[in-house]
Amino acid sequence: MCSQKLISSDVFRPCNFPEHTYITRESKDGIDYEQRLKLALNISGTLISIIGASKMGKTVLCEKVIPLERQVNVSGADFSNGEDFWHVISQKVGLPLGGQITEKKQISDTEQHSKTEMFTLTKDRVIKYFVDNNKVLILDDFHYASDESQKSIASHLKDAIRRDFRAIIISLPHRADAPIRKNADLVGRLSLIDIETWKISELKEIAIKGFNELDIKISEDIANDIAVESLTSPQLMQYICLSICTLLDTDNGETKEITSDILEKAYKFTTSNLDYRDVLTLISRGPLSKGKKRSKFTTKSGEEMDLYQLVVESLAENPPLMGLTIDDIKDRVNKLITDTNNNPDRQKVKNTVTQIQKLINDKDDIYKVLEWKDEMIYIIDPLFLFYLRWGR
Ligand SMILES: Nc1ncnc2c1ncn2[C@@H]1O[C@H](COP(=O)(O)OP(=O)(O)O)[C@@H](O)[C@H]1O
Ligand SMILES: [Mg+2]
């Protein structure tokens, strides 16, 4: 029987589990992430907390390690309005609610009493169901749960894990770690897994493995180029590789090798589904200036730009960096403008960055693409920087 030829969309999967391009990475302590998660799942009585930046492979890691039939997936968004924890989970696994069994007993009870009873019954049944069936609760995007819910979920879980209930909480760094990681009741009962951002050498492997599966050659140098542009994001790497395949029509054509002439086109093509125009407008316009006109600078490309526009331009410059100091930005700004006697000083650059941060802070999550802290400006959304570099 001849094996079926793989097509590019099976191999490069930016939005799903990448069966053919899955890369195993080492965590900081030298153990694979998969191994760490397996070990953690083996210790009963602990709660597993996975933290990592967006799109770094937290969900994919769980999918890799835990067989589908053991997974029970819920999202923090299911608890955005204070929904009852056990109620949501029992519904998820299709268990009858406690209330449906206690109905007869409740007739003479006060309402409060019956509520508590219903809750305990639901909880007990859910825990028993999980233990008997060897299920693992994966509570993804915990940061979407309301603050109240996060606290309440933490206390429900504290009790449940003692009874062998297996649970994994997945969240973004800084955001939702307090109710879990800084919870005194949970100290000593946590297994912590921090997913680091991807190194270039790790990102490269996605391209090499994937094109190899498609029987297409790719040099180390080209894989390296794509990895640099992927800005620490395995998802971006998968997207760019898929764009290359689409542009070259590799599924139907006779492509034998990836050459560098396709790269720029593929980067630009990859941005066609990214829409950061509103974010870009917000930060390059800056706050409303009251009457006073902002100084303009002439750039080498002949445009007149104020400092807000220049700071944004500086982020997009080479080499792509996910973290820059004020001096980095100042140097880049200076290189962009023609009149070197009129360079904006360090303090002005710093004020501009601070103002940009203020504008972002007041906005929805989609705008939170940058973070100014510890005297550094960090790009927290790699797709945004990619858009700045190739999407305009
Ligand atoms: N270990 C991996 N190997 C290859 N690609 C990966 C890996 N982890 C993540 N990816 C790619 O990144 C995408 C986003 O991963 P995901 O797990 O959804 O991120 P997160 O849950 O951290 O936001 C995946 O759909 C996949 O394309
Ligand atoms: Mg996820």
Side-chain angles (χ1 to χ4, degrees), residues 92-106:
K92 192 85 197 179
V93 296
L95 284 178
L97 295 178
Q100 285 160 323
I101 310 153
T102 52
E103 234 160 17
K104 278 200 193 101
K105 284 201 304 182
Q106 281 166 21

Side-chain angles (χ1 to χ4, degrees), residues 155-223:
S155 70
H156 287 312
L157 285 175
K158 180 193 96 183
D159 187 42
I161 54 173
R162 274 182 232 255
R163 294 158 62 181
D164 253 357
F165 183 82
R166 296 270 196 283
I168 300 173
I169 305 254
I170 302 178
S171 56
L172 294 177
H174 317 302
R175 301 284 300 286
D177 50 357
I180 301 292
R181 293 203 172 186
K182 300 197 174 75
N183 184 327
D185 289 335
L186 286 170
V187 170
R189 307 187 140 264
L190 289 173
S191 289
L192 308 180
I193 300 179
D194 290 326
I195 309 279
E196 304 286 320
T197 52
W198 285 54
K199 298 194 205 84
I200 288 175
S201 57
E202 296 166 333
L203 290 166
K204 252 169 89 172
E205 281 184 59
I206 294 178
I208 290 171
K209 195 167 184 180
F211 284 111
N212 188 33
E213 291 276 322
L214 293 169
D215 258 338
I216 297 172
K217 270 200 215 142
I218 180 164
S219 68
E220 287 280 329
D221 283 354
I222 292 181

Side-chain angles (χ1 to χ4, degrees), residues 127-301:
I127 294 179
K128 184 167 175 355
Y129 173 85
F130 269 70
V131 174
D132 290 352
N133 295 282
N134 202 16
K135 296 278 185 190
V136 182
L137 177 73
I138 304 174
L139 207 179
D140 209 341
D141 294 322
F142 186 59
H143 45 275
Y144 286 142
S146 65
D147 291 354
E148 264 321 291
S149 295
Q150 290 181 9
K151 279 187 214 135
S152 123
I153 291 171
S155 70
H156 287 312
L157 285 175
K158 180 193 96 183
D159 187 42
I161 54 173
R162 274 182 232 255
R163 294 158 62 181
D164 253 357
F165 183 82
R166 296 270 196 283
I168 300 173
I169 305 254
I170 302 178
S171 56
L172 294 177
H174 317 302
R175 301 284 300 286
D177 50 357
I180 301 292
R181 293 203 172 186
K182 300 197 174 75
N183 184 327
D185 289 335
L186 286 170
V187 170
R189 307 187 140 264
L190 289 173
S191 289
L192 308 180
I193 300 179
D194 290 326
I195 309 279
E196 304 286 320
T197 52
W198 285 54
K199 298 194 205 84
I200 288 175
S201 57
E202 296 166 333
L203 290 166
K204 252 169 89 172
E205 281 184 59
I206 294 178
I208 290 171
K209 195 167 184 180
F211 284 111
N212 188 33
E213 291 276 322
L214 293 169
D215 258 338
I216 297 172
K217 270 200 215 142
I218 180 164
S219 68
E220 287 280 329
D221 283 354
I222 292 181
N224 199 74
D225 243 45
I226 311 173
V228 171
E229 290 302 335
S230 297
L231 304 167
T232 75
S233 161
Q235 187 187 40
L236 207 36
M237 188 71 184
Q238 300 265 2
Y239 263 127
I240 298 170
C241 291
L242 189 56
S243 296
I244 293 175
C245 293
T246 309
L247 290 172
L248 295 174
D249 195 18
T250 56
D251 293 338
N252 303 306
E254 293 292 309
T255 310
K256 296 266 178 286
E257 184 167 4
I258 305 299
T259 48
S260 58
D261 45 337
I262 194 69
L263 295 183
E264 206 169 310
K265 208 167 160 193
Y267 299 148
K268 288 186 176 145
F269 180 70
T270 305
T271 65
S272 54
N273 292 321
L274 304 176
D275 187 1
Y276 286 98
R277 267 172 304 180
D278 291 350
V279 183
L280 187 60
T281 307
L282 177 84
I283 61 177
S284 50
R285 224 189 249 158
L288 285 176
S289 51
K290 302 182 198 90
K292 224 170 61 192
K293 267 220 151 133
R294 276 188 204 134
S295 322
K296 293 264 187 181
F297 304 85
T298 310
T299 66
K300 288 183 180 146
S301 61

Side-chain angles (χ1 to χ4, degrees), residues 13-14 16 21-23 55-60 198 238:
R13 292 170 77 78
N16 306 87
T21 43
Y22 186 90
I23 303 299
K55 299 288 169 271
M56 287 299 148
K58 303 182 291 297
T59 304
V60 159
W198 285 54
Q238 300 265 2

Side-chain angles (χ1 to χ4, degrees), residues 324-349:
L324 292 108
T325 64
I326 289 296
D327 290 312
D328 290 337
I329 295 178
K330 188 171 147 283
D331 290 346
R332 286 178 172 208
V333 166
N334 288 347
K335 284 199 189 116
L336 284 167
I337 55 186
T338 44
D339 182 4
T340 43
N341 296 321
N342 185 22
N343 287 344
D345 63 31
R346 190 176 186 282
Q347 191 55 42
K348 285 224 174 74
V349 174

